[in-house]
Amino acid sequence: MASAHGTAPAPPRPRPASRARDWAEIQERTLVPLYEAVHERAAVGPGTSLLDLGCRSGLALLLAAGRGAQVAGLEPDPELRELARARRLAVAAGSPGSSPAHRVVTVFEPLRMAEEPHRVAREAARLVLPGGLVALAGFGPARDCQSAAVLEVARRRSGPRRAPDPLRLGGAGELAALAAGAGLRVVASGRVSCPFGYPDLDSAVRGLLATGWLDAAVAYAGEAPVTKEVAEALHPFTRADDTVRMANGFRYVLAERT
């Protein structure tokens, strides 16, 4: 699919299988409050046809299915896609243009939104039925996100070609503007607290490396120095019992296709 500038978007960078599993086993659960808040606000339930665009290993889809929805996902990363399929979820690698339309389309992944926000919003708008809802979500402002300390490592270590900034859409009107630019009418919005909690520092580093936020930094500077700096950035959030906890605020909008 061509971008707004007429060039095809870069293919997803494959991640090691261990990173995909770390996402599924460590990091994905930190976004459960966001998933549940959006599903509740969008009235996801029996009879709802829901597509998660960039579903990763599929936890949001599992939660929607638990509410009675008929769910499907699109995920370009092959390791994540296989983990989602192991959960008995219908997840395809195909382009959004090959997917049928749904009543609810969700986009939960901050990195995907940071890389190509306008293209992703337009894809979501094309995949929702008339009268259906698109949910766009992302980090809130940096002042509400203690994970900004880790994202600073990604920015500093990624070299001349800066890593996408998942905080770039943290302004009050950024998500709403994206939805409007895709021809959607915003009908609701909300804020959700998603604390990132880990049993120890090693789990925290592995979970955060699995997000993809640090991929560009690892590719440019190497895994060892990036891992060391992430661990250092997490020290202020490490408690006396060795657990790690960072407070993070997320925002979402629900927008209708008229």
Side-chain angles (χ1 to χ4, degrees):
M1 180 180 296
S3 72
H5 299 290
T7 59
R13 294 182 295 272
R15 301 191 183 104
S18 59
R19 293 268 176 87
R21 192 160 295 280
D22 283 346
W23 169 266
E25 296 178 355
I26 299 172
Q27 190 66 28
E28 190 173 32
R29 60 181 171 77
T30 64
L31 296 180
V32 165
L34 175 63
Y35 301 155
E36 292 182 332
V38 169
H39 292 161
E40 179 68 22
R41 197 76 181 271
V44 172
T48 302
S49 169
L50 181 145
L51 175 72
D52 192 8
L53 183 57
C55 67
R56 308 208 77 177
S57 53
L59 181 55
L61 289 175
L62 279 179
L63 294 173
R67 299 173 67 96
Q70 299 297 311
V71 302
L74 291 176
E75 174 51 54
D77 186 292
E79 301 291 348
L80 290 167
R81 190 167 62 248
E82 287 309 307
L83 289 175
R85 288 173 175 171
R87 289 169 159 173
R88 300 185 183 277
L89 294 167
V91 175
S95 67
S98 65
S99 175
H102 296 260
R103 192 183 78 77
V104 175
V105 175
T106 55
V107 184
F108 287 119
E109 189 186 341
L111 181 62
R112 185 178 298 274
M113 292 294 293
E115 286 177 326
E116 298 180 292
H118 297 285
R119 183 178 70 84
V120 171
R122 290 194 298 268
E123 287 176 357
R126 284 194 291 270
L127 290 166
V128 71
L129 292 165
L133 294 173
V134 169
L136 302 176
F139 276 113
R143 66 177 181 274
D144 296 335
C145 298
Q146 291 181 331
S147 292
V150 174
L151 295 173
E152 172 60 21
V153 176
R155 185 199 65 77
R156 188 174 63 251
R157 279 294 197 167
S158 59
R161 186 179 179 182
R162 294 296 187 190
D165 181 7
L167 294 172
R168 67 180 289 191
L169 300 175
E174 298 292 338
L175 292 174
L178 274 180
L184 302 167
R185 182 176 66 89
V186 175
V187 296
S189 62
R191 299 183 182 185
V192 185
S193 174
C194 290
F196 287 9
Y198 310 92
D200 51 49
L201 184 61
D202 177 69
S203 295
V205 172
R206 287 166 52 205
L208 291 163
L209 284 171
T211 61
W213 305 337
L214 294 142
D215 283 2
V218 168
Y220 183 78
E223 184 159 345
V226 172
T227 297
K228 180 177 181 291
E229 289 197 28
V230 169
E232 291 170 351
L234 292 173
H235 283 159
F237 311 108
T238 303
R239 300 179 173 189
D241 62 358
D242 293 329
T243 60
V244 179
R245 183 179 175 88
M246 293 181 289
N248 290 291
F250 280 74
R251 286 180 170 167
Y252 68 86
V253 297
L254 296 180
E256 182 183 33
R257 178 182 170 187
T258 57

